[in-house]
């Protein structure tokens, strides 16, 4: 089969690899779409240490069941499916209570980090355990389905922030995840949602997706603008979708007393926090990692239009163009959002509306 192989750091090319066979409990999927994730781009040059070559990356995928292994009886050849990027064991303490993102034996598809190596979906075929599969609704296109992981991450952040409805929210960072959190927060009933970023184009996108106010952090101080917008109270919930010292500090400044700061971004491994502000204003800092069972909700909200993914897809391209798209993403070319690769020869249509 054809696959996009990272043979050494920053060396990505189409290679001919053996088509894998599904083991017991696994299914073989013919990949129809696979999104390039920020984590793939961060792994590409070795920065994250989580894509040690040789590795076929890619974990945001959808496709068609091509073969089933022994005991994998819930799916049939031809079923349209997607899968959780996390391969969880289903048995440990955390899996048993539904926190599959925190599985003791967690692996991620398309990752090699020293502890394990698991081939990903930038290839014509990939094998994954049956238990992480989800059936796709007929009217969800494969390219939209490649957005499900990112949408699930956003919904998870909103869930762990414990939105009950009517909260005011601030999203820091209008990248892919931030713009999806904005929409998930709206779908969850937040009354007013503000979005801040340094990039005017991204802020325009936030505006067109329904943000009640956008704040250009390169021109104004976020905390003072939030004070104006909330009669000096601060917002109920801040979603921090960047993960740098200055944005975490801004998040804490913008939360109301006893408010919540949901920490989603983590570009910097360490930041210092204004401890006394957090303690004396009794702010809750809540980490949010990946997703834990939010895929069905994500499918429903995309299907009903509560979450729009089309404006976030920059391009759907054949697998052969993968190396050049990685280069462009790695070079931080402006205005690129999600790039979805389609490994099918000639990019056949999937019959679903684009
Ligand atoms: Zn991802
Ligand atoms: Zn587990």
């Amino acid at each position: 089969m054809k696959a996009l192989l990272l043979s050494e750091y920053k060396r990505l090319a189409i290679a001919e690899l053996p088509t894998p066979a599904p083991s017991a409990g696994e299914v073989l999927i013919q990949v129809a779409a696979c999104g390039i994730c920020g984590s793939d781009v961060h792994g590409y040059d070795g920065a994250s240490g989580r894509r040690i070559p040789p590795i076929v990356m890619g974990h945001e995928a959808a496709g068609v069941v091509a073969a089933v292994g022994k005991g994998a009886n819930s799916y049939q050849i031809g079923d349209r499916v997607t899968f959780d990027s996390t391969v969880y064991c289903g048995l440990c303490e955390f899996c048993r209570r539904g926190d599959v993102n925190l599985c003791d034996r967690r692996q991620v598809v398309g990752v090699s980090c020293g502890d394990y190596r698991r081939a990903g979906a930038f290839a014509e075929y990939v094998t994954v355990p049956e238990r992480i599969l989800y059936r796709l609704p007929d009217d969800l296109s494969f390219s939209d389905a490649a957005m499900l992981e990112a949408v699930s991450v956003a919904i998870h952040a909103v869930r762990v922030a414990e939105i009950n409805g009517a909260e005011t929210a601030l999203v820091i960072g209008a990248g892919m995840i931030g713009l999806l959190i904005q929409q998930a927060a709206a779908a969850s009933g937040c009354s007013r949602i503000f979005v801040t970023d340094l990039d005017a184009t991204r802020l325009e996108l936030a505006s067109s997706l329904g943000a009640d106010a956008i704040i250009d952090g390169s021109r104004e101080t976020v905390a003072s603008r939030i004070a104006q917008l909330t009669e000096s109270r601060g917002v109920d919930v801040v979603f921090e979708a960047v993960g740098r010292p200055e944005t975490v500090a801004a998040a804490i400044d913008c939360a109301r007393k006893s408010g919540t700061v949901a920490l989603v971004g983590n570009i910097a491994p360490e930041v210092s926090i204004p401890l006394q502000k957090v303690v004396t204003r009794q702010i809750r800092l809540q980490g949010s990692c990946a997703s834990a069972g939010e895929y069905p909700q994500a499918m429903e909200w995309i299907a009903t239009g509560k979450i729009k993914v089309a404006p976030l897809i920059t391009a759907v391209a054949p697998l052969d163009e993968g190396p050049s798209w990685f280069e462009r993403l790695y070079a931080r070319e402006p205005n690129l959002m999600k790039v979805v690769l389609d490994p099918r020869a000639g990019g056949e249509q999937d019959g679903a509306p684009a």
Side-chain angles (χ1 to χ4, degrees):
M1 67 168 184
K2 229 167 47 167
L4 195 57
L5 182 69
L6 185 72
S7 55
E8 45 186 284
Y9 287 128
K10 294 174 75 174
R11 178 157 301 192
L12 197 56
I14 298 289
E16 192 59 36
L17 297 180
T19 301
S23 313
E26 287 187 338
V27 294
L28 178 72
I29 297 169
Q30 184 189 10
V31 181
C34 185
I36 302 179
C37 183
S39 65
D40 295 322
V41 180
H42 291 303
Y44 173 68
D45 71 348
S48 72
R50 289 183 53 82
R51 302 292 190 280
I52 301 169
I55 179 75
V56 174
M57 303 187 279
H59 58 265
E60 303 179 349
V64 175
V65 173
V68 295
K70 222 184 224 164
N73 301 321
S74 310
Y75 292 87
Q76 289 176 341
I77 292 172
D79 284 351
R80 301 170 79 249
V81 292
T82 186
F83 52 84
D84 200 317
S85 56
T86 297
V87 179
Y88 45 85
C89 75
L91 301 169
C92 73
E93 176 196 344
F94 298 96
C95 281
R96 278 186 279 121
R97 68 181 191 208
D99 296 330
V100 297
N101 55 330
L102 306 177
C103 172
D104 284 338
R105 288 178 277 275
R106 174 177 200 255
Q107 296 190 349
V108 180
V109 178
V111 165
S112 61
C113 56
D115 293 338
Y116 65 88
R117 163 171 285 119
R118 187 175 264 283
F122 290 136
E124 288 182 275
Y125 295 93
V126 65
T127 53
V128 295
E130 179 192 46
R131 68 176 168 280
I132 69 168
L133 286 192
Y134 292 96
R135 219 176 288 277
L136 290 179
D138 290 339
D139 56 355
L140 187 64
S141 69
F142 288 124
S143 52
D144 282 3
M147 296 291 290
L148 281 167
E149 194 226 18
V151 175
S152 300
V153 167
I155 296 175
H156 186 70
V158 170
R159 183 158 74 88
V160 299
E162 295 174 347
I163 300 289
N164 302 309
E167 286 92 344
T168 51
L170 167 67
V171 179
I172 299 185
M176 166 75 47
I177 297 294
L179 292 169
L180 291 170
I181 289 175
Q182 173 198 332
Q183 298 183 71
S188 302
C190 282
S191 60
R192 285 195 300 162
I193 301 167
F194 314 123
V195 180
T196 182
D197 199 283
L198 302 174
D199 181 318
T201 312
R202 289 175 169 206
L203 287 173
E204 268 169 44
L205 198 47
S207 215
S208 70
L209 290 168
D212 294 283
I214 50 173
I215 306 168
D216 186 338
S218 68
R219 292 156 180 264
E220 52 190 333
T221 310
V222 182
S224 39
R225 183 74 196 286
I226 287 295
Q228 276 173 21
L229 288 162
T230 60
E231 293 164 339
S232 302
R233 175 178 174 272
V235 294
D236 297 306
V237 184
V238 182
F239 295 97
E240 207 289 329
V242 180
R244 294 186 189 279
E246 60 277 19
T247 48
V248 172
I252 291 166
D253 280 342
C254 293
R256 69 158 162 87
K257 284 184 274 190
S258 199
T260 295
V261 174
L263 298 165
V264 186
N266 59 109
I267 291 178
E270 285 185 23
V271 301
S272 60
I273 58 161
L275 179 64
Q276 290 185 342
K277 263 187 209 166
V278 173
V279 173
T280 59
R281 308 181 77 239
Q282 204 170 289
I283 287 167
R284 175 165 72 106
L285 302 180
Q286 172 67 55
S288 181
C289 174
S291 67
E294 284 87 357
Y295 279 69
Q297 178 76 83
M299 287 188 230
E300 190 194 318
W301 280 351
I302 292 175
T304 55
K306 286 189 172 178
I307 291 189
K308 293 182 176 57
V309 293
L312 307 181
I313 299 177
T314 301
V316 180
L319 191 66
D320 306 15
E321 290 181 16
S324 64
W325 280 109
F326 260 86
E327 269 306 313
R328 292 172 65 178
L329 290 161
Y330 183 70
R332 298 177 156 278
E333 189 179 307
N335 304 327
L336 294 185
M337 298 292 262
K338 184 62 73 187
V339 175
V340 177
L341 299 178
D342 179 353
R344 292 171 299 178
E348 296 137 54
Q349 296 303 302
D350 61 19

